Amino acid sequence: MRIILVSLLVFLCGFRQCLAQPQPTLEKLTYQLVNGVLMDLHPQTNPMVIRGANGNYQTIRPRPVDNNEPLLLLDRLNYGWASGQFVENPRGTPEWDALLQYFTEADIDYMRHQIPMARHFSLKQAEITHAGVKILALDTILALQKRLDWRAPDILQQRYGSRRVHGLGGGLFSLNHRKALIVASTEDGWEMYVYENSGAAWYRKATLQKGVE
């Protein structure tokens, strides 16, 4: 009987290992999220919404094929760093209550631990799957502004085909990696979004906060 029990335990442990799916790294998740956000910032084809086999609706975004004006994106994910400040607010504040509409307390604690990595995350052009996006180094933009001042947008237009540089800030993920908090610059400021993974793609679930430049 003892041999049978030991064999059964070994079998169950092996079975659980077979079922366990490898968890994506935060770096991989960040790029998946960023590419999803870029589809909203720089739409070039209309997304399709379909109903999956599980009954849930999923957003399918075709790969862009148009030659629209490129989107210039800073390589640092620290734009305004509003998301990091947001999750550091203590219990009982309006920010804490707003987060609890979409995240659990365990999620918020997990997101706080991601802040140091997110502050130093740098985007690589090769990892951006969305067409028409050009990654620019923050140091390059700062140098242009310092050297050319008000003429810097003209140089950007000549070199890259666009005058405006966008920024993203702090992709912070829930404990199950299915939701995320991220900041994106807009025409007149920035907005903080909650994104959710439908299983097929990341889609915008809510806007938590807005700021004006």
Side-chain angles (χ1 to χ4, degrees):
M1 176 63 72
R2 184 176 180 181
I3 295 177
I4 295 176
L5 288 175
V6 171
S7 300
L8 181 59
L9 287 173
V10 171
F11 169 79
L12 289 175
C13 290
F15 183 68
R16 289 180 62 184
Q17 290 177 356
C18 290
L19 290 179
Q21 297 296 322
Q23 292 296 315
T25 63
L26 287 178
E27 179 179 0
K28 183 176 180 180
L29 282 167
T30 299
Y31 278 115
Q32 291 173 354
L33 173 62
V34 165
N35 282 302
V37 174
L38 289 174
M39 291 298 297
D40 293 322
L41 291 178
H42 193 233
Q44 294 179 308
T45 53
N46 294 325
M48 298 179 296
V49 178
I50 64 173
R51 190 169 186 176
N54 59 1
N56 295 328
Y57 287 94
Q58 301 175 350
T59 301
I60 307 297
R61 297 181 174 93
R63 185 177 178 85
V65 294
D66 298 341
N67 293 318
N68 293 344
E69 180 180 286
L71 184 147
L72 308 182
L73 184 65
L74 290 176
D75 66 338
R76 308 282 179 83
L77 284 185
N78 59 0
Y79 182 83
W81 195 239
S83 56
Q85 297 169 2
F86 205 85
V87 301
E88 289 179 330
N89 280 282
R91 289 176 174 82
T93 60
E95 293 82 3
W96 175 269
D97 292 338
L99 285 171
L100 286 181
Q101 295 181 47
Y102 305 99
F103 302 98
T104 66
E105 294 190 16
D107 289 334
I108 297 172
D109 184 63
Y110 181 61
M111 293 160 77
R112 287 174 175 173
H113 283 86
Q114 297 168 47
I115 290 176
M117 187 205 80
R119 276 183 176 148
H120 297 94
F121 194 90
S122 183
L123 294 172
K124 300 179 180 64
Q125 184 71 57
E127 300 295 334
I128 302 301
T129 59
H130 182 77
V133 175
K134 175 65 178 177
I135 302 297
L136 298 182
L138 176 62
D139 294 340
T140 298
I141 299 301
L142 294 177
L144 274 176
Q145 291 176 340
K146 182 178 180 179
R147 181 164 56 91
L148 300 173
D149 196 14
W150 60 272
R151 293 177 297 162
D154 294 333
I155 300 302
L156 289 174
Q157 182 70 46
Q158 294 173 13
R159 290 184 181 178
Y160 307 111
S162 179
R163 299 172 63 86
R164 181 171 177 80
V165 181
H166 290 263
L168 297 176
L172 303 175
F173 297 90
S174 63
L175 196 57
N176 64 1
H177 298 159
R178 299 298 300 272
K179 294 180 182 178
L181 191 68
I182 192 165
V183 175
S185 62
T186 61
E187 292 297 324
D188 56 357
W190 55 266
E191 295 184 353
M192 184 187 306
Y193 305 120
V194 175
Y195 268 74
E196 188 166 1
N197 192 323
S198 66
W202 287 91
Y203 69 94
R204 188 182 302 173
K205 185 176 182 66
T207 300
L208 273 190
Q209 194 178 46
K210 296 183 179 180
V212 178
E213 290 182 340

